[in-house]
């Protein structure tokens, strides 16, 4: 029902585009900050190995998925050498001993083991950098979804920029904290990727539906299929939509706001990046929630499940307000 004013549109889209690109430039970490994260990880691993023999640490989340901020937390996954899965492992005991070990580290403060969460973690604060972080155990699927998101980020620069803009938007509006009833950054990123897949022509493919050869390979991790097309150098050979979409970031951001306020049916449809064909909340039996976002690998995980009515409303209001503002 809203028609853009013809005179304003071009100028405004240009400005919108610049704001989006600036968002990325302002908040993305530089090479030094990326190296610092790797260095901290290395330091932790060396330190931990003296106390927890065979401990192996890997960075995941936004430190690795291409959507990290200068101040993003350090998401670290710990595994033990010679043990492939968490099976038979006393996670609580390992978490407790990990916390005990970390308390001896001279640049760590506020060590807090959380054993009641879905994934038990130890939280910490790194005094030298002011970064917060947590170490989880055998968070294997998270390592895979980090790789998946990193692949999408690598396909097109616009993907990265839009995901930053979305995260900044969520932070500025204070609607980006899952522990307080809104959505996690990860959930917002999935919403952006979904929009980019559904856009016509699409900006990104559905990597989990692509494969080379006769049959789609199945790679099982924790009982879930984690296969996705990762040979990005040859994407142009296997994805007919390669470089078909030529919209600017500004146009796409505007399109995203329009999509989630006017087109997307929150009641009926699941935000689902693993397949192109729409997935219904009915099929998933997720009809009672305000927003359903399916994890790309753990298909039983609805990232919108914790969204409270208040934050669901706020999210819609902010989208609408921003859209109105653009049309003004
Ligand atoms: P930042 O806000 O920049 O830290 O983004 P992030 O992507 O690192 O988010 P966060 O630190 O909250 O989560 C770390 C990673 O955990 C995500 O990137 C996902 O790989 C993984 N993850 C898997 N399931 C969930 C979930 O339900 N919630 C969150 N928050 N993360 C999940
Ligand atoms: Mg993080």
């Amino acid at each position: 029902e809203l028609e853009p004013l013809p005179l304003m549109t071009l100028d405004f889209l240009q400005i919108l585009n610049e704001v989006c690109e600036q968002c990325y430039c302002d908040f993305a970490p530089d090479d030094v900050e990326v190296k610092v994260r790797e260095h901290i990880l290395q330091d932790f691993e060396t330190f931990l190995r003296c106390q927890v023999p065979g401990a192996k640490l890997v960075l995941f989340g936004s430190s690795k998925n291409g959507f990290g901020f200068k101040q993003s937390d350090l998401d670290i996954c710990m595994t033990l050498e010679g043990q492939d899965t968490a099976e038979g492992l006393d996670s609580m005991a390992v978490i407790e001993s990990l916390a005990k070990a970390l308390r001896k580290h001279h640049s760590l403060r506020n060590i807090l083991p959380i054993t009641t969460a879905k994934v038990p973690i130890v939280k910490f604060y790194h005094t030298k950098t002011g970064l917060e972080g947590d170490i989880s155990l055998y968070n294997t699927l998270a390592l895979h979804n980090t790789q998946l998101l990193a692949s999408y980020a690598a396909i097109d620069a616009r993907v990265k920029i839009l995901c930053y803009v979305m995260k900044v938007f969520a932070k500025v509006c204070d609607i980006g904290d899952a522990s307080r009833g809104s959505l996690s950054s990860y959930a917002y990123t999935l919403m952006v990727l979904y929009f980019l897949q559904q856009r016509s022509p699409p900006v990104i493919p559905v990597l989990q539906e692509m494969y080379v050869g006769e049959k789609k390979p199945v790679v099982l991790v924790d009982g879930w299929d984690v296969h996705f097309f990762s040979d990005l150098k040859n994407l142009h050979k296997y994805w007919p939509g390669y470089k078909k979409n030529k919209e600017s970031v500004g146009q796409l951001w505007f399109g995203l706001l329009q999509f989630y306020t006017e087109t997307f049916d929150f009641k009926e449809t699941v935000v689902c990046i693993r397949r192109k064909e729409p997935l219904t909340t009915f099929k998933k039996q997720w009809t009672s929630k305000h927003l359903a976002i399916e994890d790309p690998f753990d298909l039983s995980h609805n990232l919108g499940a914790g969204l409270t009515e208040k934050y669901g409303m706020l999210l819609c209001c902010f989208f609408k307000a921003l859209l109105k503002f653009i049309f003004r």
Side-chain angles (χ1 to χ4, degrees):
E1 73 220 58
L2 293 164
E3 266 307 318
L5 299 171
L7 257 180
M8 270 183 69
T9 320
L10 269 181
D11 273 358
F12 198 89
L13 277 178
Q14 181 67 33
I15 296 169
L16 194 59
N17 201 51
E18 278 165 24
V19 172
C20 289
E21 282 175 0
Q22 196 59 44
C23 210
Y24 173 70
C25 297
D26 288 349
F27 293 103
D30 56 31
D31 287 353
V32 176
E33 281 151 337
V34 173
K35 286 222 180 73
V36 164
R37 285 170 184 265
E38 295 291 349
H39 185 82
I40 296 174
L41 186 84
Q42 205 47 61
D43 169 59
F44 281 5
E45 192 176 271
T46 314
F47 174 81
L48 269 181
R49 274 174 169 254
C50 306
Q51 342 227 354
V52 187
K56 274 189 64 183
L57 302 181
V58 193
L59 265 176
F60 69 99
S62 69
S63 310
K64 284 284 173 185
N65 67 19
F67 310 118
F69 282 64
K70 290 181 204 292
Q71 280 304 315
S72 281
D73 65 345
L74 282 157
D75 303 295
I76 299 172
C77 171
M78 183 173 110
T79 53
L80 298 169
E81 236 159 39
Q83 175 138 13
D84 284 345
T85 65
E87 222 170 298
L89 191 76
D90 185 350
S91 300
M92 304 300 163
V94 178
I95 285 288
E96 293 294 349
S97 65
L98 179 61
K100 205 171 152 199
L102 291 176
R103 286 201 177 98
K104 295 184 196 143
H105 193 289
H106 65 281
S107 44
L108 291 181
R109 299 278 180 279
N110 309 349
I111 308 293
L112 183 68
I114 300 179
T115 48
T116 49
K118 197 176 119 188
V119 182
I121 55 170
V122 182
K123 281 176 160 287
F124 62 80
Y125 173 74
H126 189 250
T127 51
K128 281 187 189 160
T129 54
L131 292 177
E132 295 188 358
D134 49 64
I135 303 184
S136 47
L137 291 185
Y138 287 90
N139 203 352
T140 324
L141 279 179
L143 304 184
H144 286 274
N145 68 45
T146 297
Q147 288 309 316
L148 178 68
L149 264 47
S151 298
Y152 281 119
I155 289 176
D156 193 308
R158 292 171 297 173
V159 177
K160 252 189 161 176
I161 299 174
L162 283 166
C163 287
Y164 270 90
V165 174
M166 185 68 142
K167 281 174 82 165
V168 171
F169 170 75
K171 274 185 216 294
V172 168
C173 298
D174 200 22
I175 51 169
D177 186 348
S179 68
R180 282 181 17 223
S182 51
L183 298 172
S184 66
S185 315
Y186 177 57
Y188 282 108
T189 305
L190 295 179
M191 284 177 78
V192 177
L193 296 178
Y194 179 72
F195 161 74
L196 294 174
Q197 289 175 333
Q198 298 296 323
R199 189 74 169 165
S200 171
V203 180
I204 50 173
V206 177
L207 291 176
Q208 286 171 270
E209 279 186 330
M210 290 176 61
Y211 54 91
V212 183
E214 298 270 286
K215 212 165 153 269
K216 185 173 164 288
V218 174
V219 183
L220 289 184
V221 168
D222 292 345
W224 299 107
D225 182 12
V226 298
H227 159 82
F228 66 91
F229 181 91
S230 57
D231 182 14
L232 298 183
K233 275 202 288 313
N234 288 311
L235 187 67
H236 60 284
K237 287 189 202 154
Y238 298 101
W239 181 41
Y242 187 75
K243 293 222 157 120
K244 288 257 163 70
N245 184 303
K246 300 200 187 317
E247 290 173 281
S248 70
V249 172
Q251 269 173 311
L252 287 169
W253 174 241
F254 179 61
L256 183 144
L257 293 172
Q258 245 176 346
F259 178 74
Y260 283 114
T261 36
E262 291 165 9
T263 316
F264 185 73
D265 187 340
F266 286 84
K267 271 236 119 4
E268 295 284 327
T269 321
V270 179
V271 173
C272 162
I273 67 157
R274 78 182 150 96
R275 63 179 221 180
K276 188 67 197 263
E277 200 198 322
L279 179 67
T280 61
T281 50
F282 178 75
K283 183 155 185 223
K284 297 289 300 189
Q285 297 290 303
W286 285 348
T287 47
S288 61
K289 300 294 174 205
H290 306 289
L291 169 59
I293 304 173
E294 188 195 54
D295 186 89
F297 298 132
D298 178 352
L299 307 188
S300 68
H301 185 29
N302 177 4
L303 285 130
L307 186 69
T308 58
E309 177 155 14
K310 177 185 147 190
Y311 278 107
M313 296 274 283
L314 272 178
L315 180 64
C316 288
C317 289
F318 283 128
F319 273 146
K320 276 192 194 143
L322 197 53
L323 196 60
K324 268 230 173 96
F325 175 76
I326 292 173
F327 273 115
R328 212 165 42 137

